[in-house]
Amino acid sequence: PFCDSRESTLGFQFWRTGFWQTHLRGKPYHISALYVVDLQRFRRELVGDKLRTTYQQLSADPNSLANLDQDLPNYAQHQVRIFSLPQEWLWCESWCSDETKPASKTIDLCNNPLHKEPKISMAKRIISGELFEESWVELDAEVEQYEKDYLMSLIDQNATS
Protein backbone atom coordinates (compact mmCIF):
# COMPACT_ATOMS: atom_id res chain seq x y z
CA PRO A 1 0.00 0.00 0.00
CA PHE A 2 1.15 3.50 -0.69
CA CYS A 3 -0.58 6.60 0.66
CA ASP A 4 -1.14 9.72 -1.30
CA SER A 5 -3.04 11.64 1.38
CA ARG A 6 -0.19 13.94 2.53
CA GLU A 7 -0.46 16.69 -0.07
CA SER A 8 2.83 18.38 0.87
CA THR A 9 4.84 15.41 -0.44
CA LEU A 10 2.88 14.47 -3.55
CA GLY A 11 5.49 16.15 -5.76
CA PHE A 12 8.14 13.72 -4.44
CA GLN A 13 6.28 10.62 -5.60
CA PHE A 14 8.66 9.95 -8.48
CA TRP A 15 6.84 6.81 -9.61
CA ARG A 16 3.92 8.89 -10.91
CA THR A 17 5.91 10.33 -13.84
CA GLY A 18 8.76 9.51 -16.19
CA PHE A 19 10.49 6.15 -16.24
CA TRP A 20 8.50 4.50 -13.43
CA GLN A 21 5.13 5.63 -14.76
CA THR A 22 6.00 4.14 -18.15
CA HIS A 23 7.48 0.97 -16.67
CA LEU A 24 4.59 0.30 -14.29
CA ARG A 25 1.99 0.54 -17.10
CA GLY A 26 -0.82 1.31 -14.66
CA LYS A 27 0.33 -1.10 -11.95
CA PRO A 28 0.93 0.32 -8.47
CA TYR A 29 4.38 1.22 -7.16
CA HIS A 30 5.21 -1.05 -4.23
CA ILE A 31 7.43 -0.28 -1.30
CA SER A 32 9.20 -3.10 0.47
CA ALA A 33 8.00 -2.63 4.01
CA LEU A 34 5.36 -5.34 4.18
CA TYR A 35 4.42 -8.43 2.18
CA VAL A 36 2.15 -11.41 2.78
CA VAL A 37 3.30 -14.47 0.84
CA ASP A 38 1.38 -17.63 -0.04
CA LEU A 39 4.36 -20.00 0.20
CA GLN A 40 2.69 -22.88 -1.61
CA ARG A 41 1.86 -20.67 -4.59
CA PHE A 42 5.30 -18.99 -4.34
CA ARG A 43 6.97 -22.40 -4.72
CA ARG A 44 4.52 -23.77 -7.28
CA GLU A 45 4.92 -20.74 -9.57
CA LEU A 46 8.72 -20.68 -9.13
CA VAL A 47 8.58 -17.09 -7.89
CA GLY A 48 11.99 -17.39 -6.23
CA ASP A 49 13.56 -18.23 -9.60
CA LYS A 50 11.78 -15.30 -11.23
CA LEU A 51 12.96 -12.91 -8.51
CA ARG A 52 16.54 -14.22 -8.80
CA THR A 53 16.47 -13.69 -12.57
CA THR A 54 15.21 -10.13 -12.14
CA TYR A 55 17.84 -9.51 -9.44
CA GLN A 56 20.59 -10.78 -11.76
CA GLN A 57 19.44 -8.35 -14.45
CA LEU A 58 19.31 -5.43 -12.01
CA SER A 59 22.65 -6.22 -10.36
CA ALA A 60 24.47 -5.88 -13.70
CA ASP A 61 24.02 -2.12 -13.27
CA PRO A 62 25.55 -0.92 -9.95
CA ASN A 63 23.32 2.18 -10.04
CA SER A 64 20.19 0.03 -9.89
CA LEU A 65 21.20 -1.45 -6.53
CA ALA A 66 20.68 1.84 -4.68
CA ASN A 67 16.99 1.03 -4.04
CA LEU A 68 17.05 -2.70 -4.66
CA ASP A 69 14.45 -3.40 -1.97
CA GLN A 70 11.97 -1.27 -3.93
CA ASP A 71 13.29 -1.82 -7.45
CA LEU A 72 13.12 -5.62 -7.31
CA PRO A 73 9.36 -6.00 -6.66
CA ASN A 74 8.51 -3.14 -9.01
CA TYR A 75 10.53 -4.62 -11.87
CA ALA A 76 9.37 -8.17 -11.10
CA GLN A 77 5.64 -7.45 -10.86
CA HIS A 78 5.22 -7.96 -14.59
CA GLN A 79 6.28 -11.62 -14.11
CA VAL A 80 5.20 -12.14 -10.48
CA ARG A 81 1.71 -11.30 -9.23
CA ILE A 82 1.88 -8.71 -6.48
CA PHE A 83 -1.23 -7.28 -4.89
CA SER A 84 -1.32 -4.29 -2.57
CA LEU A 85 -2.63 -4.77 0.94
CA PRO A 86 -5.37 -2.38 2.09
CA GLN A 87 -3.98 1.04 3.00
CA GLU A 88 -4.36 0.64 6.76
CA TRP A 89 -1.66 -2.04 6.76
CA LEU A 90 1.12 0.51 6.30
CA TRP A 91 1.27 4.09 7.52
CA CYS A 92 4.22 6.29 6.64
CA GLU A 93 4.33 9.89 7.81
CA SER A 94 5.95 11.02 4.55
CA TRP A 95 3.05 9.93 2.37
CA CYS A 96 0.06 9.43 4.72
CA SER A 97 -1.93 12.17 6.41
CA ASP A 98 -2.13 12.39 10.19
CA GLU A 99 -5.86 11.65 9.94
CA THR A 100 -5.13 8.15 8.58
CA LYS A 101 -2.71 7.19 11.39
CA PRO A 102 -5.34 5.96 13.91
CA ALA A 103 -6.57 3.29 11.46
CA SER A 104 -3.07 1.99 10.70
CA LYS A 105 -1.94 -1.50 11.66
CA THR A 106 1.80 -0.92 11.10
CA ILE A 107 4.04 2.14 10.94
CA ASP A 108 7.00 2.55 8.62
CA LEU A 109 9.59 5.07 9.76
CA CYS A 110 10.26 6.07 6.17
CA ASN A 111 12.46 8.97 5.18
CA ASN A 112 10.66 12.25 4.68
CA PRO A 113 11.79 14.04 1.51
CA LEU A 114 11.02 17.44 3.07
CA HIS A 115 13.49 17.09 5.95
CA LYS A 116 16.16 14.73 7.27
CA GLU A 117 15.52 13.21 10.69
CA PRO A 118 17.37 10.39 12.44
CA LYS A 119 15.25 7.23 12.79
CA ILE A 120 15.49 7.21 16.60
CA SER A 121 14.19 10.77 16.96
CA MET A 122 11.49 9.94 14.41
CA ALA A 123 10.49 6.85 16.41
CA LYS A 124 10.33 8.86 19.65
CA ARG A 125 8.12 11.45 17.98
CA ILE A 126 5.83 9.21 15.90
CA ILE A 127 5.40 6.23 18.26
CA SER A 128 3.93 8.11 21.19
CA GLY A 129 0.66 9.59 22.31
CA GLU A 130 -2.84 8.30 22.80
CA LEU A 131 -2.68 5.75 19.96
CA PHE A 132 -0.07 3.67 21.78
CA GLU A 133 -0.11 1.70 25.02
CA GLU A 134 3.64 2.34 25.35
CA SER A 135 5.79 4.97 23.73
CA TRP A 136 9.00 4.26 21.83
CA VAL A 137 10.94 5.62 24.81
CA GLU A 138 9.27 3.12 27.16
CA LEU A 139 9.73 0.20 24.75
CA ASP A 140 13.38 1.13 24.19
CA ALA A 141 14.00 1.27 27.95
CA GLU A 142 12.38 -2.15 28.35
CA VAL A 143 14.62 -3.69 25.70
CA GLU A 144 17.68 -2.04 27.23
CA GLN A 145 16.78 -3.56 30.60
CA TYR A 146 16.43 -7.02 29.03
CA GLU A 147 19.87 -6.61 27.47
CA LYS A 148 21.40 -5.61 30.81
CA ASP A 149 19.72 -8.51 32.60
CA TYR A 150 20.93 -10.94 29.93
CA LEU A 151 24.51 -9.67 30.11
CA MET A 152 24.45 -9.88 33.91
CA SER A 153 23.23 -13.49 33.70
CA LEU A 154 26.17 -14.32 31.40
CA ILE A 155 28.61 -12.69 33.80
CA ASP A 156 27.07 -14.60 36.74
CA GLN A 157 27.17 -17.82 34.73
CA ASN A 158 30.85 -17.35 33.92
CA ALA A 159 31.68 -16.48 37.53
CA THR A 160 30.14 -19.73 38.79
CA SER A 161 31.74 -21.92 36.09
Side-chain angles (χ1 to χ4, degrees), residues 90-103:
L90 185 66
W91 185 88
C92 165
E93 182 183 48
S94 297
W95 313 117
C96 304
S97 68
D98 294 337
E99 294 77 28
T100 61
K101 187 177 177 184

Side-chain angles (χ1 to χ4, degrees), residues 1 3 31 33-34 86-92 96 104 106-108:
C3 281
I31 60 171
L34 186 62
Q87 186 55 63
E88 67 267 11
W89 278 96
L90 185 66
W91 185 88
C92 165
C96 304
S104 65
T106 63
I107 293 177
D108 181 357

Side-chain angles (χ1 to χ4, degrees), residues 69-115:
D69 61 329
Q70 290 179 20
D71 290 352
L72 182 59
N74 287 297
Y75 273 97
Q77 71 175 319
H78 296 296
Q79 292 82 36
V80 175
R81 290 185 292 183
I82 299 175
F83 303 96
S84 294
L85 292 169
Q87 186 55 63
E88 67 267 11
W89 278 96
L90 185 66
W91 185 88
C92 165
E93 182 183 48
S94 297
W95 313 117
C96 304
S97 68
D98 294 337
E99 294 77 28
T100 61
K101 187 177 177 184
S104 65
K105 297 180 186 306
T106 63
I107 293 177
D108 181 357
L109 299 174
C110 55
N111 294 320
N112 189 320
L114 295 174
H115 56 82

Side-chain angles (χ1 to χ4, degrees), residues 4-154:
D4 58 4
S5 56
R6 187 169 297 278
E7 293 190 19
S8 61
T9 59
L10 289 177
F12 293 95
Q13 294 184 357
F14 57 86
W15 55 91
R16 297 189 183 280
T17 62
F19 168 80
W20 279 111
Q21 181 184 37
T22 302
H23 175 77
L24 293 171
R25 298 188 307 250
K27 291 183 180 280
Y29 183 83
H30 297 280
I31 60 171
S32 60
L34 186 62
Y35 291 96
V36 177
V37 178
D38 178 337
L39 288 175
Q40 291 178 338
R41 175 177 256 168
F42 185 93
R43 291 178 180 126
R44 185 176 61 249
E45 295 180 7
L46 304 174
V47 172
D49 292 339
K50 293 173 185 175
L51 291 174
R52 275 189 289 283
T53 299
T54 303
Y55 173 82
Q56 283 299 115
Q57 293 167 350
L58 290 173
S59 65
D61 176 5
N63 294 320
S64 73
L65 297 177
N67 281 324
L68 181 63
D69 61 329
Q70 290 179 20
D71 290 352
L72 182 59
N74 287 297
Y75 273 97
Q77 71 175 319
H78 296 296
Q79 292 82 36
V80 175
R81 290 185 292 183
I82 299 175
F83 303 96
S84 294
L85 292 169
Q87 186 55 63
E88 67 267 11
W89 278 96
L90 185 66
W91 185 88
C92 165
E93 182 183 48
S94 297
W95 313 117
C96 304
S97 68
D98 294 337
E99 294 77 28
T100 61
K101 187 177 177 184
S104 65
K105 297 180 186 306
T106 63
I107 293 177
D108 181 357
L109 299 174
C110 55
N111 294 320
N112 189 320
L114 295 174
H115 56 82
K116 300 284 185 195
E117 181 179 11
K119 295 285 185 179
I120 296 296
S121 74
M122 189 185 306
K124 289 176 182 176
R125 182 176 54 75
I126 292 174
I127 304 172
S128 64
E130 63 190 37
L131 296 177
F132 303 94
E133 291 179 27
E134 298 173 287
S135 71
W136 176 267
V137 173
E138 293 165 316
L139 293 168
D140 191 46
E142 187 177 333
V143 169
E144 187 176 342
Q145 187 59 51
Y146 285 133
E147 287 176 341
K148 286 178 184 175
D149 292 348
Y150 175 72
L151 291 174
M152 290 305 293
S153 73
L154 291 179

